[in-house]
Amino acid sequence: MHAVTNKPGVARRPFHLMTKPIGPICNLDCKYCFYLEKEALYQDPKWRMSPELLEIYIRTYISAQPLDNVSFAWQGGEPTLLGVGFFERVVALQQQYAAGKRIENAFQTNGILLDDQWGAFLKAHNFLVGVSVDGPRHLHDAYRVDKGGQPTFDRVMAGLEVLKRHGVEFNTLTTVHRANAKQPREVYQFLRAQGSGYLQFIPIVERNAPAHTADGLWLAPPPNHDDAANLDSQVTPWSVRPGDYGKFLTGVFDEWIKADVGRVFVQHFDSALANWLGQSPGICIFSPTCGRALAIEHNGDVYSCDHYVYPRYRLGNLLNEDLAALVDSPPQEAFGSAKADLPRYCRECPVRFACHGECPKHRFVRTPDGESGLNYLCAAYKKFFTHITPAMNTMAALIGNGRPPADIMLLPRSHWLPN
């Protein structure tokens, strides 16, 4: 094994890397997955981060962080395909290079391969596990199928039971798509019943690429600012409709605020409250700028974001370039600051402070006055943030008076119902 001899730099500000140690390789064939196609970019027969690269990555990622808390995020593809032994080596390297820093690990999985060996390991090393599940059986199995096209719900639930049996801390990641978007209450109540205390909802929005592309990818790349394609002809059949997504978020919120404030944490709601308080929302899509959440592929290639794994957004490779220098490079700084470039329609929007145009990946439609750069989900977020304004104002006032936001549940409904 080859150790790194150069002294790595330290980034100017904290940053996050989504780690793809097995690239896009997965044991499922989810119909909406945007990452499976990345296999066309590499044509790699091994699809596994080498021992040498793994050591370089862990050492430089720890040393490049300017704070004493370092969070690793392991994803794919499906990281469990690498086996427990790979992650035992991860933990050993983290301990070797921690240098007094506190190390945390998050692990995103479809849950299919989780067994007692995995459960014991994840518990012993305090991994936070995210499980991908899209709701009850008929909604989950609509798109989340295996390589043979067979449903996966029962196997995911078995994996979830492994985590519960071993006392592993877990949360759930739910994609919101054409099949489940109209069932917010059913999805929320199902996830809550599984014991998920932290819920993430990710909208599925993808566009079909032109019939022939040089790189072999079948999904359209994120738009340039002047790209305002016709959404009706480009958006994939599984993508969520803006109207449905707005109703989904408001429907979940209305269920949550009745009895679950302070008990169940929903990423969208936490971020909204932070923006109402003038604090950092914690996720890039609702921040004024981005650029501090990058991705690293199995071969060491570093990209601006895991939704921007395209050649034009490749910053460099960890085998021959310093990680901190890539993170703070002019191209990455420009990438992050470009998020603030919004059309006038957005700049004048009353809920801009909570939305900030969401992810630039989704800005491929025109505003009512014809300007490009409007987010496809604009109507959804305008509906959602307007709907929750009374509740957010009330919770912000409670916090300002030294009371927990959960006290909103003690107040009459008129304090948080929309007008």
Side-chain angles (χ1 to χ4, degrees):
M1 184 170 294
H2 304 288
V4 182
T5 56
N6 62 305
K7 183 178 180 180
V10 179
R12 290 194 293 266
R13 292 180 289 122
F15 67 97
H16 178 76
L17 265 183
M18 183 172 287
T19 318
K20 307 279 189 175
I22 197 169
I25 301 304
C26 189
N27 52 347
L28 298 191
D29 198 16
C30 301
K31 297 175 184 177
Y32 54 64
C33 182
F34 73 94
Y35 217 81
L36 289 175
E37 69 167 5
K38 304 306 180 186
E39 190 171 346
L41 294 178
Y42 286 100
Q43 305 295 325
D44 190 331
K46 295 182 179 179
W47 293 111
R48 183 185 185 96
M49 187 174 281
S50 69
E52 293 80 10
L53 176 57
L54 181 65
E55 182 172 6
I56 292 171
Y57 167 52
I58 289 176
R59 180 176 186 260
T60 56
Y61 184 60
I62 292 172
S63 60
Q65 293 290 349
L67 301 180
D68 289 334
N69 193 71
V70 181
S71 296
F72 285 83
W74 305 95
Q75 201 169 50
E78 174 50 43
T80 57
L81 290 171
L82 291 165
V84 171
F86 180 91
F87 289 95
E88 289 176 336
R89 181 60 180 157
V90 164
V91 172
L93 288 168
Q94 289 173 339
Q95 293 172 346
Q96 178 180 346
Y97 290 116
K101 294 186 177 182
R102 182 172 180 266
I103 308 296
E104 298 175 341
N105 285 286
F107 189 88
Q108 187 65 40
T109 176
N110 59 41
I112 300 295
L113 296 180
L114 294 177
D115 57 16
D116 286 330
Q117 182 186 17
W118 273 110
F121 169 81
L122 294 167
K123 176 62 177 179
H125 298 287
N126 298 311
F127 274 57
L128 171 62
V129 179
V131 180
S132 298
V133 56
D134 284 355
R137 182 190 307 275
H138 66 289
L139 299 176
H140 175 92
D141 286 339
Y143 295 121
R144 296 192 66 80
V145 296
D146 63 19
K147 296 298 185 183
Q150 297 302 305
T152 61
F153 178 80
D154 288 337
R155 285 173 281 173
V156 174
M157 291 299 100
L160 197 56
E161 287 304 314
V162 168
L163 299 179
K164 294 177 184 178
R165 185 164 64 247
H166 287 270
V168 177
E169 185 179 359
F170 72 92
N171 57 41
T172 51
L173 187 154
T174 301
T175 59
V176 184
H177 44 67
R178 197 70 60 93
N180 64 2
K182 293 185 178 181
Q183 307 297 333
R185 185 177 186 276
E186 184 177 7
V187 170
Y188 178 73
Q189 294 295 349
F190 170 81
L191 297 172
R192 190 179 184 278
Q194 303 314 306
S196 179
Y198 186 81
L199 283 58
Q200 298 181 64
F201 294 110
I202 309 296
I204 294 295
V205 178
E206 298 295 344
R207 297 179 296 155
N208 292 311
H212 300 286
T213 59
D215 53 21
L217 303 180
W218 60 85
L219 296 176
N224 294 323
H225 188 67
D226 58 356
D227 176 11
N230 185 303
L231 66 90
D232 290 327
S233 64
Q234 286 206 347
V235 174
T236 60
W238 53 82
S239 294
V240 65
R241 295 183 177 95
D244 290 344
Y245 190 52
K247 292 176 182 177
F248 181 89
L249 291 176
T250 56
V252 171
F253 185 85
D254 289 347
E255 286 296 305
W256 171 79
I257 201 169
K258 291 176 184 177
D260 289 339
V261 183
R263 300 186 181 97
V264 176
F265 297 90
V266 181
Q267 187 180 53
H268 275 62
F269 308 162
D270 289 351
S271 297
L273 183 56
N275 272 331
W276 248 266
L277 293 168
Q279 301 173 357
S280 171
I283 54 175
C284 54
I285 62 171
F286 296 135
S287 298
T289 59
C290 60
R292 307 305 287 185
L294 301 88
I296 181 169
E297 259 289 344
H298 67 292
N299 72 332
D301 282 347
V302 177
Y303 291 88
S304 293
C305 169
D306 81 306
H307 284 280
Y308 284 74
V309 177
Y310 294 88
R312 66 177 294 189
Y313 298 104
R314 179 185 175 275
L315 299 171
N317 189 284
L318 207 59
L319 288 172
N320 47 45
E321 296 172 84
D322 180 62
L323 178 58
L326 295 177
V327 172
D328 291 332
S329 66
Q332 184 63 6
E333 291 288 327
F335 172 83
S337 62
K339 185 179 189 295
D341 186 10
L342 295 168
R344 187 179 68 178
Y345 184 78
C346 294
R347 297 195 303 270
E348 296 176 351
C349 178
V351 295
R352 175 198 171 183
F353 74 95
C355 175
H356 292 295
E358 206 244 10
C359 183
K361 171 181 177 284
H362 299 152
R363 298 178 187 176
F364 55 83
V365 298
R366 292 188 181 275
T367 66
D369 57 0
E371 191 176 358
S372 64
L374 183 66
N375 196 299
Y376 168 79
L377 295 173
C378 172
Y381 288 119
K382 186 170 287 189
K383 177 180 177 64
F384 170 61
F385 288 121
T386 301
H387 181 84
I388 68 174
T389 291
M392 289 293 151
N393 287 338
T394 299
M395 287 191 284
L398 287 169
I399 292 171
N401 290 317
R403 297 173 62 184
D407 279 0
I408 192 173
M409 296 182 295
L410 304 176
L411 301 175
R413 289 167 61 92
S414 59
H415 283 70
W416 46 265
L417 283 176
N419 296 326

